[in-house]
Amino acid sequence: MNKDIEKVLVTEEELRNISRKLGEKITKDYQGKKLLIVGVLKGSIYFLTDLSRYIDLPCNIDFIQASSYGSETVSSGTIKIIKDIRDDLTGFDVLLVEDILDTGRTLKHIHDMLSKRNPKSIAVVTLLDKPERRVADISADYIGVDVPNEFVVGYGLDYNQFYRNLPYIGILKREIYEK
Ligand code: IMP
Ligand code: MG
């Protein structure tokens, strides 16, 4: 295990099972629809690539990137779109893919913005949910697993852009971000 990790929260095997379970559910729910999978960069990339291989349907895949200015472990309310997707979402059933739903501010901003582009539907799938911390009025339609109010990294999630490549999700030692 990486020396900066306090505890592994979700193992590689559990991650694989989450993707399989959610992918199979999404496959059932999106039969006959015009699916557009939208990953929120950068945290969702590992989850999206695994999840999408369990979605047995024709689909488009695109990415959106937002930045929020705040301290390093908590997002602020000010969100800016750095990379956008197509303008016209007419006819598309959009599935937003997130790494973690924390305060919900980022996803709420993206959801509201895309809602104005005439999609047929928008749903949210998040690998991790930290319901205790929710501020914005948004919830996920598909949730991998709930996590406690701890700062977690790995499998796409970062601290200061590091640790994304850990193959599991772990709690980062407090001394790393409190020093
Ligand atoms: P929100 O706008 O507060 O919901 O923040 C969402 C974004 O903050 C996520 O997409 C993550 O990039 C980041 N984030 C929130 N909590 C954590 C965490 O525990 N570890 C790593 N990133 C986090
Ligand atoms: Mg992020």
Side-chain angles (χ1 to χ4, degrees):
M1 191 174 67
N2 184 291
K3 65 174 174 29
D4 300 340
I5 299 300
E6 183 74 51
K7 186 186 160 197
V8 174
L9 211 55
V10 194
T11 65
E12 290 186 65
E13 193 190 349
E14 286 164 342
L15 287 166
R16 206 161 31 243
N17 289 336
I18 287 170
S19 283
R20 186 185 308 116
K21 206 182 80 193
L22 292 177
E24 286 170 358
K25 176 90 171 65
I26 289 164
T27 302
K28 282 195 189 117
D29 294 352
Y30 282 80
Q31 293 292 326
K33 296 190 176 180
K34 195 174 165 191
L35 177 59
L36 171 59
I37 299 174
V38 178
V40 182
L41 291 174
K42 305 172 196 169
S44 72
I45 58 167
Y46 290 77
F47 178 46
L48 187 147
T49 52
D50 284 342
L51 174 72
S52 60
R53 280 177 282 186
Y54 290 106
I55 299 177
D56 188 13
L57 293 171
C59 62
N60 283 194
I61 298 179
D62 205 348
F63 295 92
I64 196 162
Q65 187 168 18
S67 78
S68 81
Y69 301 97
S71 75
E72 281 156 350
T73 54
V74 186
S75 76
S76 73
T78 326
I79 288 135
K80 192 179 146 195
I81 300 298
I82 301 174
K83 190 226 167 282
D84 203 347
I85 60 164
R86 56 188 300 141
D87 273 342
D88 185 8
L89 295 174
T90 305
F92 281 104
D93 290 288
V94 178
L95 183 63
L96 283 170
V97 183
E98 250 291 30
D99 53 356
I100 186 166
L101 204 45
D102 189 35
T103 67
R105 286 185 177 120
T106 312
L107 210 61
K108 172 83 175 140
H109 181 90
I110 292 171
H111 190 286
D112 289 356
M113 186 181 87
L114 299 185
S115 299
K116 294 176 189 141
R117 299 183 190 176
N118 197 34
K120 202 161 166 214
S121 70
I122 303 185
V124 173
V125 52
T126 188
L127 172 62
L128 308 176
D129 193 7
K130 262 189 203 171
E132 262 183 75
R133 301 231 331 137
R134 197 64 33 81
V135 175
D137 178 23
I138 187 152
S139 59
D141 302 272
Y142 304 92
I143 296 166
V145 64
D146 280 1
V147 290
N149 189 6
E150 301 273 3
F151 197 78
V152 296
V153 294
Y155 196 66
L157 290 113
D158 73 302
Y159 169 64
N160 260 348
Q161 301 302 324
F162 286 96
Y163 308 105
R164 291 194 199 274
N165 60 329
L166 297 180
Y168 50 81
I169 305 241
I171 296 175
L172 188 64
K173 286 184 180 162
R174 282 187 174 268
E175 67 205 55
I176 305 293
Y177 56 90
E178 281 178 353
K179 67 187 170 195

